[in-house]
Amino acid sequence: MSTPDICVEKGHAEPEEVAAITAILLARAASAPTDAAPSHRPHRKAGWRRLEREPGFRAPHSWH
């Protein structure tokens, strides 16, 4: 093993701390479903409006 898979950018991690983080990451990766369907449907149109494409005036009685 010439290069480490996990690198501590700041501070100093003891080998036990690195082992604990590695165990947690591996457990989470193993428990994640691999063939799960997306949890939401993609929207067919944007949730926001472009103001330059809106008409200049809306009638006061409209609910649009």
Side-chain angles (χ1 to χ4, degrees):
M1 188 160 118
S2 60
T3 60
D5 292 329
I6 297 175
C7 178
V8 178
E9 294 292 326
K10 186 175 183 181
H12 177 71
E14 298 296 325
E16 295 85 12
E17 295 170 327
V18 174
I21 294 291
T22 304
I24 291 170
L25 292 175
L26 288 173
R28 287 195 63 174
S31 68
T34 57
D35 60 333
S39 61
H40 66 283
R41 295 184 334 210
H43 295 287
R44 295 194 56 90
K45 66 177 191 174
W48 47 269
R49 297 183 311 241
R50 294 183 63 171
L51 296 178
E52 67 268 12
R53 293 186 181 175
E54 289 289 316
F57 174 76
R58 290 187 188 165
H61 64 277
S62 72
W63 287 88
H64 180 67

